[in-house]
Amino acid sequence: MTTTTAERLKKFTILHSNDMHGDFLAEAQSGEGNLIGGLALLSGYINKVRQEEKNTLYVISGDMLQGSMIDTEFKGLSTIEIMNYLAPDVVTLGNHELDYGFPHLLFLEKMANFPIVNANLYIKKYSKRLMNPYLILNVDGFDIMFIGIVTEEVLKALKLDTSISTFVGLEDAAAEVGKICNAYKSEDIDLTVLLTHIGFEEDKKLAQMLDPAWGVDMIIGGHSHTRLEQPAQVNNILISQAAVGTDQIGRFDITVDDETNSIVEWKWQLVPIDNTVAEPDVDLQNFIATYKEAVDRKYNRIIGRLARKLTHPKREEETELGNLITDCFAQMDLLDVVLIGSGSIRGTELGPVVTLGDMKKVYPYDGPLYKVRLTGTQLLKLFNHVMRPENRIPGESNCFQVNQGTQAVYNDADQKVETLLVNGKPVQEDAQYSVCLQEYHYKNAEQSLNLTSEELGSPKVITTSAQNVLEEYLGSNQLLDAKVEGRLIFK
């Protein structure tokens, strides 16, 4: 029987988000009066496209959780309920889906009315996958396979649960993709899409490792918050990502050939989400408002006032807000150096009036802080590692903020720390220094700090709640100020 062109070629629209981070509410555009972003407008746009285009799919590439007080207060339950309303066709895990612990993630998965795919998380003892590795959707007679992949970042989050393991390297992830593709070739898959949460640069490396015979057509990624003009193409695989939050959504309009199981035509755009492209979804707006009211009642209490608004515009450099937070923690104990991960400061500004909700939104991680003792040699090794250029890639960096009295000057040409001062004095290699670390970085010290657990030794827990320390300090010290003063210098 002869196949007609209309039967052989089908058009699909794939909408995609990543790293939404609890960005639920629309914001007024500066000076223009337009509303941008927020899930009500996003839902309005998705609903509009679903009505306009016959074969529309909506996918999310990780990190739905973390970043808003609504998410934090309800430990992700609110987010999953809201995502149920958006009804994505398939989602993959990001590293922040594990922020409330692995048992809680399994609970959230049971709440989800949408499928979550992940190919490379295992129960160690039994080598059994924790989630469905892939999903095959039949859309208008075409079979589309989605495979979920996450690597190193999720392994760091799993340090708290030693019963769970994951593939570490891209090579292993690529082999797993091959295993799944080979096993289901007989299904006559028309389109194969990897949903990843490993960062744009890693996506390109992964694409290069994939055997063309496996038939992977697209990688839709997340984690690095990369804003693209157009997708990359590596090894004949399209690679896209949609920045961060809900101010935009990625949109592929593609034509797939049933005979060759390949994309023969495609167009991609990063669609800005504002009230010029869609009407807000009023039902969802009202639903989110019930969560917001509950959170506002609890957290709109003023705890202090800063001298002015302090900012944290990017994680790859010293910031005012980073300096405020590290100086606050430095008051807790006899500490020479305080290292706080820039990425754990989730907001870009704070103040001048600070509510409890503002503080928790800016610093949402309420874990313990540890004190360890390091030699000057170990401290130099640590700073050489965290200040190196490859650790300052926007969106993929693991940079730190440091307290007053610590100054490090790094020479990019020589690839080393030129000067390291502690308490205003040059570090002595054989001297001992007390260093404050967050639990996450202590438990992932080899990747984060280039130090082994043996080098760190036994820590002292100086607080079980970093947020309690911040709240108390901001409440007891009014009109605090902090400036960028050259604590971290890159030459």
Side-chain angles (χ1 to χ4, degrees):
M1 187 171 116
T2 308
T3 306
T4 66
T5 303
E7 291 171 323
R8 187 167 61 83
L9 299 178
K10 286 276 169 71
K11 292 186 175 176
F12 299 90
T13 297
I14 300 178
L15 303 175
H16 63 94
S17 299
N18 55 273
D19 301 278
M20 296 163 91
H21 289 302
D23 185 17
F24 298 151
L25 306 172
E27 298 161 356
Q29 204 162 17
S30 178
E32 295 180 28
N34 288 341
L35 287 177
I36 58 169
L39 287 181
L41 279 171
L42 184 72
S43 179
Y45 178 75
I46 294 168
N47 292 341
K48 178 181 156 195
V49 175
R50 281 170 170 160
Q51 288 166 9
E52 292 171 349
E53 306 294 341
K54 180 183 177 187
N55 302 321
T56 297
L57 293 163
Y58 176 49
V59 304
I60 302 173
S61 289
D63 278 7
M64 298 173 288
L65 304 190
Q66 199 60 263
S68 79
M69 277 308 302
I70 293 173
D71 182 85
T72 304
E73 175 66 8
F74 295 96
K75 294 196 180 329
L77 273 72
S78 51
T79 302
I80 296 300
E81 280 206 79
I82 291 164
M83 291 299 138
N84 281 342
Y85 194 101
L86 285 180
D89 293 276
V90 58
V91 163
T92 197
L93 296 177
N95 51 299
H96 285 294
E97 265 69 61
L98 288 107
D99 279 358
Y100 303 116
F102 205 86
H104 193 71
L105 170 60
L106 296 180
F107 174 65
L108 294 177
E109 188 207 12
K110 294 299 181 195
M111 279 189 60
N113 294 337
F114 48 86
I116 299 175
V117 292
N118 176 271
N120 57 310
L121 282 175
Y122 283 84
I123 301 171
K124 273 184 190 174
K125 188 174 178 183
Y126 303 105
S127 292
K128 277 184 77 81
R129 285 195 186 99
L130 280 154
M131 297 192 172
N132 291 327
Y134 68 91
L135 176 74
I136 298 173
L137 293 176
N138 186 278
V139 185
D140 200 10
F142 277 45
D143 286 329
I144 303 176
M145 175 187 269
F146 293 92
I147 303 170
I149 292 290
V150 65
T151 57
E152 287 90 340
E153 284 300 318
V154 80
L155 186 67
K156 294 176 185 177
L158 286 171
K159 287 284 185 180
L160 302 180
D161 194 331
T162 54
S163 63
I164 311 299
S165 188
T166 184
F167 294 136
V168 179
L170 287 177
E171 294 85 355
D172 292 324
E176 194 69 3
V177 170
K179 191 191 301 181
I180 293 167
C181 290
N182 283 328
Y184 295 96
K185 262 187 177 301
S186 59
E187 299 278 353
D188 188 29
I189 304 299
D190 295 290
L191 184 72
T192 300
V193 182
L194 301 189
L195 298 179
T196 68
H197 194 83
I198 61 179
F200 187 64
E201 294 304 316
E202 296 294 291
D203 281 333
K204 290 193 282 188
K205 293 176 194 171
L206 177 60
Q208 196 63 56
M209 294 176 187
L210 301 176
D211 188 331
W214 296 341
V216 174
D217 300 287
M218 306 167 76
I219 296 176
I220 297 176
H223 186 56
S224 56
H225 303 180
T226 305
R227 179 178 291 272
L228 298 173
E229 293 296 321
Q230 282 298 307
Q233 280 189 283
V234 176
N235 205 6
N236 209 28
I237 296 169
L238 290 167
I239 305 169
S240 67
Q241 194 174 139
V244 60
T246 58
D247 291 359
Q248 65 288 309
I249 190 170
R251 174 172 175 163
F252 270 111
D253 290 284
I254 61 174
T255 303
V256 179
D257 189 328
D258 188 34
E259 282 188 9
T260 60
N261 296 342
S262 62
I263 298 170
V264 292
E265 194 177 334
W266 64 273
K267 176 188 172 189
W268 182 85
Q269 53 189 316
L270 191 66
V271 180
I273 297 300
D274 58 32
N275 50 5
T276 66
V277 301
E279 293 292 320
D281 184 328
V282 177
D283 290 337
L284 182 55
Q285 202 166 28
N286 293 337
F287 184 56
I288 293 171
T290 62
Y291 280 116
K292 184 178 184 300
E293 286 162 15
V295 168
D296 285 350
R297 275 196 303 274
K298 186 172 179 180
Y299 293 105
N300 260 2
R301 171 170 62 84
I302 294 173
I303 59 172
R305 187 181 182 95
L306 305 178
R308 61 191 178 89
K309 182 190 292 181
L310 302 183
T311 63
H312 181 72
K314 54 171 71 172
R315 65 169 68 178
E316 298 83 28
E317 59 189 34
E318 175 191 348
T319 68
E320 296 169 344
L321 197 46
N323 287 351
L324 175 79
I325 290 170
T326 51
D327 289 349
C328 164
F329 291 148
Q331 309 302 313
M332 283 188 301
D333 204 323
L334 295 172
L335 295 166
D336 296 311
V337 179
V338 175
L339 285 158
I340 296 298
S342 281
S344 61
I345 302 170
R346 302 305 297 183
T348 56
E349 58 184 44
L350 184 69
V353 175
V354 180
T355 66
L356 184 59
D358 295 335
M359 185 210 80
K360 286 178 176 280
K361 185 176 179 181
V362 160
Y363 192 88
Y365 303 106
D366 194 23
L369 296 176
Y370 293 169
K371 179 168 81 169
V372 297
R373 297 200 69 81
L374 299 179
T375 65
T377 300
Q378 291 168 334
L379 204 55
L380 276 162
K381 180 181 174 185
L382 183 158
F383 273 89
N384 271 305
H385 180 73
V386 301
M387 294 182 74
R388 69 199 196 283
E390 57 268 39
N391 202 32
R392 284 178 262 136
I393 299 169
E396 299 184 48
S397 58
N398 189 14
C399 300
F400 289 82
Q401 303 290 316
V402 298
N403 60 307
Q404 194 169 47
T406 302
Q407 185 189 61
V409 180
Y410 188 91
N411 188 308
D412 279 347
D414 295 338
Q415 299 256 308
K416 70 173 190 177
V417 171
E418 245 178 37
T419 309
L420 180 58
L421 306 179
V422 172
N423 298 320
K425 298 175 183 176
V427 164
Q428 303 297 310
E429 291 187 357
D430 57 352
Q432 293 269 323
Y433 298 91
S434 57
V435 180
C436 175
L437 301 172
Q438 294 156 298
E439 180 184 40
Y440 176 85
H441 295 294
Y442 173 79
K443 293 194 172 178
N444 291 283
E446 289 198 43
Q447 298 99 325
S448 295
L449 312 171
N450 197 29
L451 295 174
T452 64
S453 54
E454 288 77 20
E455 286 176 296
L456 290 180
S458 298
K460 173 189 173 186
V461 176
I462 49 179
T463 180
T464 58
S465 170
Q467 285 186 350
N468 283 355
V469 174
L470 273 178
E471 182 184 348
E472 187 66 24
Y473 190 77
L474 293 174
S476 304
N477 298 273
Q478 295 303 302
L479 299 178
L480 290 167
D481 200 358
K483 292 182 170 60
V484 173
E485 55 191 35
R487 299 181 188 186
L488 297 171
I489 299 170
F490 300 94
K491 292 171 65 176

